[in-house]
Amino acid sequence: QVQLVESGGGLVQAGGSLRLSCAASGLTFSSYSMGWFRQAPGKEREFAAAISRSGGSTGYAESVKGRFTISRDYAKNPVYLQMNSLKPVETAVYYCAASTRQVGSDRVRAYDYWGQGTQVTVSS
């Protein structure tokens, strides 16, 4: 059974940083590209960042470029999302997702498995 478990969310002041982690089990980690999405109350789930199976290719939403960094650790299996200079508008539940695609995608439908999400709240 595939499980993705996010952690690292919490309350942070505007301009602060958080690092999210996603622990994957029940799948061959290197066979999946991984993505991070977020969903604010009353809004659709939106793409934040993705990383390829090999880790050699990454992609970011324009709104987070230069501030967020996605990475993966093949020895321990987690995927990380380092978030810097956070803004109140980025308050949302952040989700980790896994896709059989070689290269990560910005489309929700491209992902086969999802975690339960972790809450990130950015105060002004």
Side-chain angles (χ1 to χ4, degrees):
Q1 181 180 1
V2 175
Q3 278 194 314
L4 302 177
V5 180
E6 301 93 337
S7 61
L11 174 64
V12 64
Q13 288 189 332
S17 298
L18 282 174
R19 189 177 81 154
L20 305 183
S21 296
C22 172
S25 61
L27 52 75
T28 303
F29 186 63
S30 59
S31 296
Y32 289 80
S33 59
M34 304 294 293
W36 284 99
F37 289 73
R38 60 191 181 186
Q39 188 166 19
K43 294 190 176 182
E44 292 186 353
R45 192 166 298 190
E46 66 173 13
F47 170 73
I51 189 166
S52 63
R53 290 180 189 171
S54 69
S57 175
T58 57
Y60 298 92
E62 284 296 324
S63 60
V64 308
K65 277 184 180 177
R67 298 185 299 116
F68 287 16
T69 303
I70 187 171
S71 61
R72 60 192 301 171
D73 183 334
Y74 291 92
K76 299 180 180 178
N77 275 6
V79 177
Y80 302 107
L81 185 67
Q82 177 67 42
M83 306 186 295
N84 299 328
S85 302
L86 282 161
K87 307 172 184 179
V89 70
E90 294 179 310
T91 293
V93 177
Y94 282 69
Y95 296 91
C96 171
S99 170
T100 55
R101 293 167 58 98
Q102 184 171 359
V103 179
S105 172
D106 60 357
R107 296 182 297 116
V108 170
R109 290 185 175 182
Y111 291 84
D112 304 283
Y113 301 102
W114 292 84
Q116 83 291 346
T118 185
Q119 177 70 47
V120 171
T121 303
V122 185
S123 64
S124 56

